[in-house]
Amino acid sequence: MKQDYRDGFRGLLRPDETLVRACDFYPNPALPAVPAELRMPAPPTRPGRLEERARDVLGAVTGALARPLDAFSRSRWVDNRLTRAVGRAADAVEEARDTAEDAADSAVERALWGQVFEGGWQSMAGRFRVHLAHAGDPVGLQAITDQRYIVALDRNEDRRAPQWVVAVDVPRRNIARFRPRPGAVAARGRFDLVFTDGSWIALGSALRRHMELFVDACEGR
């Protein structure tokens, strides 16, 4: 186990928790998108002082332009049933096009990666997927301890001074097994995390050897 991987979990473990093995983590790019109704709201971020000043200047300029445009937008010609219907139709066409493009992309990804997810959104794998997506599908580190499986992400943009935090974790009592899947066309470092309710999700490492050592440690081999 690389020292950098071990160091990444320093401070993330509980006082009575023991690190078994850690390695790099890469989310599977073919994982399904989380439905809008299940997406968690992103935490609000406070803009910097320079950004606030820029917004004030732009607001003053665009505000003067927006007033006549706003008045025009409320006019009888714009705000009538026909124009609203046309707008809704245009939105529907654009949404249908985006859906078709997403379906085509998903078909290509399934051909390359195979099946990557099993279980509904309320399953253990589904809830794991939601939390992973909320964390931004991070490329980071993963670890198995005597208590948990952990995915960690770096919150610091300066790679020379990483600030690792827990993105998502799972108690070992909820995990049935770690199943190596190196046969996927595009993912030699893939494994499946199988939960006790029968659901599972494809995860992985950059390299097959890293994955094999990690899975062996997870399975107690």
Side-chain angles (χ1 to χ4, degrees):
M1 184 186 343
K2 289 185 178 181
Q3 189 63 40
D4 288 348
Y5 298 156
R6 184 185 297 274
D7 291 344
F9 289 91
R10 187 176 296 170
L12 300 184
L13 303 184
R14 298 163 181 161
D16 60 341
E17 192 171 18
T18 301
L19 179 66
V20 177
R21 191 169 189 88
C23 74
D24 56 303
F25 173 81
Y26 281 80
N28 194 301
L31 289 175
V34 174
E37 63 271 17
L38 296 179
R39 293 174 194 161
M40 303 177 191
T45 57
R46 180 178 177 82
R49 188 174 302 173
L50 181 61
E51 184 180 352
E52 287 179 340
R53 289 181 60 190
R55 286 182 178 179
D56 290 342
V57 172
L58 289 172
V61 173
T62 57
L65 295 173
R67 281 191 291 274
L69 290 175
D70 184 56
F72 175 75
S73 68
R74 291 196 301 268
S75 71
R76 184 176 299 176
W77 186 87
V78 174
D79 190 21
N80 62 54
R81 293 181 181 178
L82 176 60
T83 53
R84 290 198 300 271
V86 170
R88 288 194 296 270
D91 290 342
V93 170
E94 183 175 357
E95 184 177 349
R97 182 191 63 192
D98 292 342
T99 300
E101 290 176 351
D102 291 343
D105 290 342
S106 297
V108 172
E109 288 170 347
R110 283 195 299 271
L112 289 173
W113 300 91
Q115 187 177 356
V116 295
F117 179 78
E118 178 69 36
W121 290 109
Q122 298 306 317
S123 69
M124 291 181 179
R127 293 195 296 271
F128 183 94
R129 172 65 189 129
V130 170
H131 286 287
L132 188 65
H134 179 58
D137 285 327
V139 173
L141 299 178
Q142 59 187 328
I144 189 69
T145 75
D146 61 336
Q147 300 178 23
R148 295 180 290 167
Y149 168 70
I150 308 171
V151 174
L153 63 92
D154 183 6
R155 285 295 191 196
N156 196 346
E157 293 182 358
D158 185 355
R159 299 291 178 157
R160 296 169 297 180
Q163 181 184 351
W164 295 103
V165 298
V166 175
V168 58
D169 61 351
V170 181
R172 290 194 69 155
R173 66 177 179 273
N174 292 343
I175 298 172
R177 64 170 300 200
F178 292 81
R179 180 172 59 199
R181 293 283 293 275
V185 174
R188 300 303 179 190
R190 168 182 168 172
F191 67 86
D192 295 341
L193 174 56
V194 184
F195 294 88
T196 53
D197 65 351
S199 63
W200 58 267
I201 185 170
L203 304 173
S205 174
L207 301 174
R208 176 173 178 167
R209 184 58 178 162
H210 289 183
M211 177 273 292
E212 290 174 339
L213 291 172
F214 186 77
V215 169
D216 284 348
C218 293
E219 294 289 288
R221 295 194 289 266

